[in-house]
Amino acid sequence: MFPLIRLAKQIAVSNMTELKAPYRLTYALTYRCQLKCGMCNIWKKKPLRELDAAEIGEFFRRFPHFSWINLSGGEIFLRPDLPEIIAAITGACKRLYLLNFPTNGYETERIVGMVREIVRSRTVPKLLVTVSLDGTPPLHDRIRNAPGSWDRAIETYRGLRQLKGRGFGVFFGMTLQNANADAFEETLRAAAERVPGLRAADFHVNVVHASGHYYENTGCDSDLDRQGLLGRMRQIGKLRQTSLLNPVDFLERRYQRIAAGYLGGDPVPVTCQALGASLFMDPAGTVYPCTVFDRPLGNIREAGYDLRRLWNGEERRSLRHEIVQGLCPRCWTPCEAYQSILADLLPGFKR
């Protein structure tokens, strides 16, 4: 329970003042991916000199204070040393409460096998896995440019759902874009035929974003039908029957409500927590404010794997000031939205 209490304290403090250190890390372990998704160009990126497991272990030994770590990619299960990496993270970060990661679900046996071992040996109180599903079978396969990828994603989800473990959860993740804006209900019905009991609340829905340094898809949202997506987000929100007491459901509801306003042209009503409560790190160890703001802070290798050397510097403080002033892309990606929502639980409090 101590990790949860510590996270709750960090969230409470973030509602009143700037945190002295981040509690959430989004870390892209690799840019390798076997799919060629239309809304993402990560698969086109040249290979980076990825931090190896020993370097990753050193980084977390030097800064073991994260309460929430989101491992991302590419497809993280293409790293054969993934179990070693997760063991290094959980071994160093004794106060880690939540570990979560997405997967394209393409290599079912490998993914389910690795997650089974993680569930068996984990010491993290909360582990969440999201399997990407972007439409009905033909639509998903077309978006992902991989015939059969829908069937594989479904089988991966089914396999993960059978795993038993306290604090373990699996969801589908759907990225709304022009190509699938009208497909949520059809997607839910098609998936429910293969996964009995599946509900709308088992889907985490977000909106496609452009990023130069992460997705390398600058301009992908330039022709986005924002008004159309706005209506779809509202419809999806009505379909979700969620618990008022479940914190994951609370975050999803608030995310979608603000996403609807964002699509409608409203300014995001909360202060982003990038370089306050959180940061993004790429596979080679370069630190950015987030997955969208293309302003590198520095590289962990060059900082001796010590995040404090970057975090306590003037550049970080300067970039944080720009973000607070709204001089950033002002996006609404889940990688940054959730901790920003949690820092706005006391909106009347003067910071």
Side-chain angles (χ1 to χ4, degrees):
M1 185 58 70
F2 176 72
L4 177 57
I5 294 173
R6 182 172 182 271
L7 175 58
K9 180 181 178 180
Q10 291 167 313
I11 291 169
V13 171
S14 73
N15 276 261
M16 296 179 283
T17 188
E18 288 281 341
L19 293 170
K20 294 181 179 179
Y23 67 78
R24 182 179 181 186
L25 168 68
T26 296
Y27 174 25
L29 284 178
T30 183
Y31 285 153
R32 287 174 279 175
C33 189
Q34 66 278 71
L35 304 188
K36 299 179 179 180
C37 303
M39 70 289 191
C40 170
N41 290 324
I42 283 178
W43 58 275
K44 293 182 179 179
K45 293 167 77 81
K46 294 180 179 179
L48 295 175
R49 187 184 160 215
E50 298 172 351
L51 297 175
D52 62 30
E55 290 178 297
I56 293 169
E58 181 64 18
F59 168 72
F60 286 106
R61 279 192 294 274
R62 287 178 174 272
F63 193 90
H65 309 299
F66 293 111
S67 294
W68 181 354
I69 296 175
N70 170 31
L71 299 178
S72 189
E75 173 57 34
I76 68 171
F77 289 93
L78 291 181
R79 285 201 62 151
D81 56 352
L82 181 61
E84 185 180 352
I85 290 170
I86 291 181
I89 292 172
T90 57
C93 300
K94 300 299 185 182
R95 292 173 284 188
L96 181 64
Y97 174 70
L98 172 58
L99 177 66
N100 69 290
F101 44 82
T103 174
N104 59 32
Y106 196 71
E107 297 191 15
T108 299
E109 187 174 344
R110 173 197 288 264
I111 295 164
V112 175
M114 282 190 177
V115 175
R116 180 181 294 112
E117 291 306 312
I118 294 167
V119 170
R120 285 176 178 171
S121 61
R122 74 185 172 95
T123 56
V124 180
K126 198 80 171 175
L127 175 67
L128 301 178
V129 182
T130 304
V131 181
S132 298
L133 198 72
D134 288 322
T136 56
L139 177 57
H140 174 90
D141 289 1
R142 185 166 66 251
I143 290 173
R144 299 266 161 179
N145 282 300
S149 58
W150 190 90
D151 286 317
R152 293 188 181 209
I154 290 290
E155 286 308 305
T156 297
Y157 182 91
R158 283 163 54 93
L160 293 176
R161 199 169 185 177
Q162 292 173 2
L163 300 181
K164 304 296 182 182
R166 186 177 180 182
F168 171 68
V170 58
F171 298 87
F172 279 123
M174 186 171 183
T175 300
L176 286 188
Q177 53 200 287
N178 289 345
N180 65 1
D182 298 319
F184 179 78
E185 291 184 63
E186 286 184 85
T187 301
L188 174 59
R189 284 195 295 269
E193 290 179 2
R194 297 278 294 275
V195 186
L198 193 70
R199 305 169 301 141
D202 294 317
F203 278 75
H204 287 176
V205 180
N206 63 83
V207 180
V208 66
H209 275 78
S211 168
H213 68 278
Y214 182 38
Y215 300 117
E216 285 197 355
N217 64 347
T218 302
C220 82
D221 57 351
S222 60
D223 64 345
L224 200 62
D225 179 8
R226 292 178 175 271
Q227 288 302 314
L229 287 179
L230 169 59
R232 303 301 176 269
M233 289 291 286
R234 287 172 173 165
Q235 290 174 0
I236 292 169
K238 292 177 181 178
L239 290 172
R240 292 174 56 83
Q241 297 179 352
T242 56
S243 169
L244 295 176
L245 301 178
N246 186 308
V248 175
D249 288 345
F250 163 77
L251 285 172
E252 188 72 5
R253 284 194 305 272
R254 187 83 189 278
Y255 169 80
Q256 291 194 13
R257 191 157 57 244
I258 295 176
Y262 168 80
L263 289 168
D266 296 336
V268 174
V270 299
T271 301
C272 180
Q273 288 296 301
L275 290 187
S278 60
L279 66 144
F280 168 69
M281 188 165 73
D282 77 8
T286 299
V287 173
Y288 294 85
C290 65
T291 59
V292 175
F293 196 14
D294 192 0
R295 293 281 295 278
L297 184 62
N299 187 274
I300 285 299
R301 280 191 178 111
E302 296 168 4
Y305 305 100
D306 189 352
L307 179 61
R308 292 181 186 86
R309 290 175 58 180
L310 299 179
W311 196 262
N312 295 330
E314 182 57 36
E315 180 67 13
R316 199 279 306 180
R317 287 189 285 271
S318 176
L319 281 173
R320 177 61 189 156
H321 179 73
E322 289 186 37
I323 292 165
V324 171
Q325 296 300 312
L327 304 176
C328 64
R330 299 292 287 171
C331 64
W332 193 238
T333 168
C335 292
E336 308 311 319
Y338 293 147
Q339 58 269 29
S340 300
I341 290 169
L342 291 169
D344 193 57
L345 299 178
L346 303 172
F349 198 97
K350 299 293 185 182
R351 284 187 277 178

